[in-house]
Amino acid sequence: MTGEAPFNEMYQGDALRPPYAGLDVWARDMPAELRSMKQHEAEALFRRIGITFAVYGEGGDPDRLIPFDMFPRVFSAAEWRRLERGIRQRAQALNAFLADIYARGEILRAGVIPAHLVHCNEAYEPAMAGFMPPRGVYSHIVGIDIVRTGPDDFFVLEDNCRTPSGVSYMLENRETYPALLKRTLDSLAPEKCEGAPRAVILTPGHFNSAYYEHSFLADMMGVELVEAADLFVEGDFVWIRTTEGPQRVDVIYRRIDDAFLDPLCFRPDSMLGVAGLMNVYRSGGVTICSAPGAGVADDKAIYCFVPEMVRFYLGEEPILANVPTWQCAKADDLAHVLEHLSELVVKEVHGSGGYGMLVGPQATRTQLEDFAAKLRADPANYIAQPTLALSTTPTFTEAGIAPRHVDLRPYCLVGERIELVPGGLTRVALKAGSLVVNSSQGGGVKDTWVLAE
Amino acid sequence: MRLTVSHNTTYRFDPPMRGVVQSLRLTPARFDGQRTLDWRVNVPGAVMGAAFRDSAGDWVETASILGPVAEVTVEVTGEVETSDLSGVLRGHRERVPPGTYLRATPATHADTVVQELAGAALSGQAGTDPLARAHAMAAAVAEAVVYEPGLTEHGTTAAEALALGRGVCQDHAQVLIAAARHAGLPARYVCGYLHATDEGGPHEASHAWAEIWIEGLGWVGFDAANACCPDARYLRLGSGRDAADAAPIRGLARGRGEEAMEVAVAVAAAGQ
C-alpha cells in the first residue's frame, strides 16, 4: 500500500459525494430487519437460480454461493460517460489488433510489438491465419478489469478477450445484458446463413464452474444450451439434434477453451468438442464466438502494448491508462522487481483468477523469498505492478457499513455495433484491508449503478 | 516426372460406430514443383463438405458418415506432374507466419539428447548461413536414427525415437523438427508420397519429411530418412506442426467399437 488513504467513493472526508446521496438516505433509514430480510432474499435468488462458483484445490464441495453485497456501487452519468468511451476504445483496439495479427501483421512489421511475443504465444492460433471471421470480430465479449485510485483516476488492470464469466452476478442487468448479447450474436451470422440465425451456447457441461451462468444466459436469451454430443457436422454445416430432426446452427457462443473445440483440429483427445467444427467455421458455415485464438490479445505480456494499439489502429490517445507494469523478461525490470518485491503485485503472464500471484505487502518473508526464487528461475513468466490503493465503497459487514476495496468488470459486446451494459460487475474484497477481489480468494460481488443525467 | 498415385485407407469398426467424421488433407499442394493432372478423393457413403484452403495453404475437406458404420474407405487416385526444385517450396501460397513454427509440441519437444544432437551438428558451423546449418542438422539426424520399421509407432515422440536410434520417416522428420526448432530454425512436418526407386532404401510410398524455413529462400524440404532434399520423386500433400497435426486423415468415430486400419499405397512413374 502507498501511504495515503485509499479513495472512498462515497465520502470525501466528511462530505458525501453526490452520486451516493440517495443511497445515504436509504442506508440510514433502512431498519436492520428489513436489510437482513433483503439480504436473505438476494441469497435465496442466487441459490435458486444456481449462481455459484467453484473453488478448486481447497477440499470440500467446490461449489459455493458467491457472496453478494447489497450496497450498490454508484457512478454519476459523467463518470460513466468517460469510462464507456475508454472501454469501447479499448475493445475496438483489441479487435483491430487480432484482425491485424491474423492478417498482415502491420503492427509487428512496424516494430511496435515484437513478433515473437505474438507468434510464439501459445494463445496465437496458426489455424486462424489469413481467415477473417464475420464482421472481422474476434473477441465478441470483452471484459475489461478496471481499478480506481481517485476521483478521475481509472486504470485497466487486465483484459479478458476469450469468454469472460461473471455476467450472471449482475442482478440489475439480468435482462438487459442477455438481450444485448442475443442481438450481438445474431448480428454475426456466417456468410452461408439464410434467414434468422440460430445461436446456441456450447458448454463443457454441468461440472464446469460457470455452468449456471451458461444455463442462465441460454434461458434469458431463449437459445439452446448444448454440449458437444448435441451437435454434429455434416456437409457444409453444424447441426443440432432436436425432437424435430436436425436443425442448422449458425452462431456458437462457446464456453469451452480453444484447445478443446474440435478434436480434428486441436487436441485429439478432447471429449468436449465437435469433430469437424473448425472446417465448417473456416469454410463460412458457422460463427464461433469468441474466435479461436482471440486469447492472444489478453495475454499479460501483450497487455503492456494495448495503449500502443490504441494509437496505432485508432490514431487516438488512450482514454483509459494501463497500470504501470514491469516486464520481468527485461533484465532492468526484473532487477527493479526483485528489489521492491515487498511493495509489488507479481502475476504469472498466462495466469488468471488470482492464482499464482504474489501480493508483496501482504506476503511473509518466506513467501517473498520463495517467489523471488521462482522469478529468477523463469523471469519471462512474470509481470509486476505497483500495489494500487484501490478505491473503496461502503459495504455491509458484520460490524455495520464499512469501506471495502473494489474493482470493476464491465462487459463490452462487439458485433455489428459495440455495446456496453451500463455498470457491469463490481467485485469487492470482503476482508477488511484486502485488495484481492477474486471470488476464489474471498471476494464478493455487488451491483453497479449508473445514475441518469 | 509424372507420378500416379493410388491410396486406399480402410477403417473397420467392431461393433459398428454411430457415426464417423473425418478431416481430409489429401490433395496435392499447389506450388511450382507440382502440377495436378487428375486427382480424386472419394469416401463411398459419406457426405462431403466444408472444404477450404487452410492457413498453411493445404486443401482440406470434411467427410461425414452416418452410422451404423462397420467400414469406411478413403480412396485417393490421381496423377501429378512433378519437377525437381531441390527441395524449395517455390510459389506456395500460405498465411501462417514462419515464426509460429518455432513453438514445440509434445511430440517434437527437444529433450537434452535432442539438444545435444543439435549442438553437435552445429559445432563448426559458426558463421555459416541457415541453409548450411539446416543441411548439417539433417545429416546429423540421418546418422543418428537408423531406418528400421516396426519399432516405433504413431505416438512415438522425437525424443523417444532419438533415444532408440531407430525409426521410420515419421521419426526422422520429428527429430529433425525438434532439433531445428531448438536451434532457432522454424520447422514443420510434411506428408506426401514418394516414388521409391533405390533397391534396399526405405520404401515408404506414403512418406513424410521435414521443411525448414530459410530466410530469403522460404520453406525447404529435408528428408533425413533418405538423406536428401525432396525432388521429382516426391509428391507433397500438406503440413503441420508435427505428425499428428499434419496427418492426411484426422477422424473421430462415435461409439465403442474397436478400430482396425488397413492402408494400400502405390506410387508409380507414368509411362515406365
Side-chain angles (χ1 to χ4, degrees):
Chain A
M1 289 293 300
T2 51
E4 48 195 292
F7 175 65
N8 185 317
E9 297 191 8
M10 185 156 170
Y11 297 105
Q12 277 186 312
D14 288 337
L16 183 67
R17 289 185 65 245
Y20 280 86
L23 277 177
D24 181 52
V25 177
W26 169 78
R28 236 189 281 236
D29 289 358
M30 181 161 43
E33 310 83 73
L34 179 62
R35 183 180 87 70
S36 142
M37 196 183 85
K38 287 284 173 202
Q39 184 71 40
H40 283 123
E41 270 179 29
E43 276 167 23
L45 178 67
F46 272 48
R47 212 174 275 288
R48 194 174 69 241
I49 54 181
I51 303 178
T52 58
F53 68 101
V55 176
Y56 303 106
E58 288 184 11
D61 180 3
D63 274 341
R64 295 181 194 175
L65 199 63
I66 191 146
F68 175 79
D69 176 57
M70 276 205 306
F71 207 114
R73 179 201 206 162
V74 187
F75 287 111
S76 73
E79 283 173 335
W80 184 252
R81 260 200 310 276
R82 177 167 160 245
L83 274 175
E84 181 172 8
R85 277 176 46 233
I87 294 159
R88 283 167 178 274
Q89 181 191 55
R90 198 161 171 113
Q92 204 181 343
L94 289 166
N95 269 293
F97 167 70
L98 288 164
D100 181 29
I101 59 166
Y102 287 115
R104 287 180 47 79
E106 302 288 0
I107 201 164
L108 312 178
R109 290 161 193 253
V112 177
I113 300 178
H116 74 91
L117 273 189
V118 173
H119 293 156
C120 293
N121 195 306
E122 281 302 321
Y124 180 90
E125 184 42 68
M128 291 293 290
F131 174 67
M132 179 69 81
R135 296 190 189 280
V137 181
Y138 291 75
S139 176
H140 309 86
I141 303 164
V142 187
I144 295 178
D145 292 347
I146 295 174
V147 297
R148 183 178 200 178
T149 59
D152 298 310
D153 305 315
F154 293 91
F155 296 93
V156 175
L157 202 54
E158 64 182 55
D159 306 290
N160 298 273
C161 295
R162 306 169 205 213
T163 53
S165 62
V167 287
S168 56
Y169 304 152
M170 302 189 291
L171 281 193
E172 275 307 308
N173 280 320
R174 299 192 68 73
E175 289 174 16
T176 356
Y177 179 80
L180 286 180
L181 177 58
K182 179 73 166 54
R183 195 157 84 194
T184 303
L185 296 179
D186 285 349
S187 76
L188 294 160
E191 52 185 272
K192 289 184 187 167
C193 170
E194 301 149 352
R198 177 192 289 263
V200 300
I201 299 181
L202 176 61
T203 173
H206 64 277
F207 294 112
N208 185 267
S209 65
Y211 180 75
Y212 293 111
E213 179 162 300
H214 310 162
S215 112
F216 158 76
L217 285 171
D219 268 2
M220 297 297 282
M221 292 198 290
V223 305
E224 280 104 337
L225 179 64
V226 300
E227 294 181 31
D230 301 314
L231 301 178
F232 66 97
V233 163
E234 191 179 283
D236 288 332
F237 300 103
V238 178
W239 305 81
I240 177 173
R241 299 171 215 276
T242 77
T243 47
E244 288 132 44
Q247 306 281 330
R248 245 164 75 174
V249 171
D250 301 297
V251 181
I252 298 176
Y253 173 31
R254 49 81 177 235
R255 295 291 295 253
I256 59 180
D257 292 343
D258 288 2
F260 295 95
L261 271 179
D262 177 356
L264 303 192
C265 185
F266 306 114
R267 280 179 63 151
D269 58 342
S270 170
M271 305 294 281
L272 307 172
V274 182
L277 174 61
M278 278 301 283
N279 290 4
V280 175
Y281 178 56
R282 286 291 320 260
S283 57
V286 73
T287 302
I288 302 174
C289 302
S290 57
V296 65
D298 67 24
D299 186 271
K300 290 186 181 70
I302 298 294
Y303 158 88
C304 307
F305 297 97
V306 179
E308 287 304 320
M309 288 178 204
V310 172
R311 294 183 190 103
F312 188 82
Y313 297 113
L314 309 180
E316 299 168 3
E317 272 306 298
I319 298 164
L320 290 172
N322 268 8
V323 176
T325 301
W326 290 276
Q327 297 164 267
C328 301
K330 297 181 185 167
D332 288 357
D333 285 20
L334 176 65
H336 175 94
V337 170
L338 287 171
E339 204 168 304
H340 299 89
L341 203 52
S342 64
E343 303 154 29
L344 300 172
V345 177
V346 189
K347 296 176 182 174
E348 287 187 15
V349 173
H350 309 294
S352 69
Y355 292 99
M357 73 187 245
L358 173 86
V359 181
Q362 285 164 16
T364 63
R365 177 182 279 265
T366 324
Q367 283 169 329
L368 288 173
E369 282 166 7
D370 290 350
F371 214 92
K374 287 206 274 182
L375 270 169
R376 284 194 193 93
D378 187 10
N381 194 36
Y382 298 94
I383 58 160
Q385 296 170 333
T387 319
L388 295 177
L390 302 195
S391 62
T392 65
T393 65
T395 299
F396 289 117
T397 70
E398 305 227 319
I401 297 173
R404 289 289 183 270
H405 295 288
V406 292
D407 81 351
L408 176 70
R409 175 180 285 185
Y411 298 88
C412 189
L413 296 170
V414 188
E416 185 179 8
R417 295 188 284 188
I418 302 184
E419 309 205 66
L420 196 59
V421 182
L425 181 73
T426 289
R427 299 190 296 180
V428 51
L430 293 169
K431 272 181 263 173
S434 167
L435 292 166
V436 184
V437 297
N438 303 77
S439 52
S440 53
Q441 318 263 324
V445 296
K446 48 166 74 204
D447 257 345
T448 314
W449 294 2
V450 177
L451 296 182
E453 297 287 338
Chain B
M1 194 180 261
R2 269 193 184 198
L3 298 180
T4 59
V5 174
S6 158
H7 175 199
N8 288 342
T9 312
T10 302
Y11 300 87
R12 293 193 180 83
F13 304 106
D14 184 27
M17 294 291 202
R18 293 201 308 277
V20 174
V21 182
Q22 294 173 327
S23 180
L24 307 175
R25 201 189 277 118
L26 280 165
T27 303
R30 290 202 298 206
F31 72 104
D32 293 352
Q34 291 183 179
R35 192 163 64 91
T36 301
L37 305 171
D38 177 40
W39 198 265
R40 286 161 223 259
V41 178
N42 187 30
V43 186
V47 178
M48 303 296 289
F52 68 104
R53 195 159 295 283
D54 76 7
S55 304
D58 307 330
W59 186 250
V60 178
E61 51 196 323
T62 318
S64 303
I65 307 110
L66 267 189
V69 189
E71 186 178 309
V72 53
T73 299
V74 181
E75 306 167 348
V76 179
T77 55
E79 188 171 351
V80 175
E81 172 91 53
T82 61
S83 50
D84 184 359
L85 299 182
S86 308
V88 179
L89 188 66
R90 206 173 63 209
H92 187 252
R93 288 175 62 99
E94 57 183 300
R95 303 298 301 271
V96 182
T100 62
Y101 291 100
L102 284 169
R103 276 153 65 181
T105 65
T108 56
H109 168 71
D111 70 348
T112 48
V113 186
V114 174
Q115 293 179 21
E116 281 165 19
L117 175 81
L122 295 185
S123 70
Q125 293 287 327
T128 61
D129 62 29
L131 185 60
R133 293 209 296 277
H135 275 292
M137 199 93 70
V141 173
E143 199 165 306
V145 181
V146 177
Y147 178 79
E148 188 173 341
L151 294 174
T152 54
E153 38 98 29
H154 282 296
T156 303
T157 67
E160 288 164 353
L162 182 58
L164 192 64
R166 285 173 291 179
V168 293
C169 59
Q170 167 175 320
D171 306 303
H172 287 101
Q174 291 200 143
V175 173
L176 177 52
I177 291 166
R181 285 179 188 157
H182 176 70
L185 295 168
R188 67 185 179 187
Y189 191 94
V190 179
C191 285
Y193 301 104
L194 170 62
H195 175 54
T197 47
D198 296 349
E199 287 298 318
H203 283 72
E204 295 178 82
S206 191
H207 197 52
W209 56 96
E211 278 174 356
I212 297 177
W213 175 262
I214 307 294
E215 204 61 57
L217 202 53
W219 287 106
V220 180
F222 290 89
D223 181 5
N226 288 299
C228 67
C229 285
D231 52 31
R233 297 169 300 149
Y234 289 71
L235 197 166
R236 186 187 190 277
L237 291 174
S239 68
R241 292 170 65 196
D242 56 23
D245 192 38
I249 303 176
R250 278 180 81 161
L252 188 86
R254 290 193 309 277
R256 295 173 187 280
E258 289 278 316
E259 178 184 304
M261 188 182 74
E262 204 176 285
V263 184
V265 197
V267 179
Q272 285 190 358

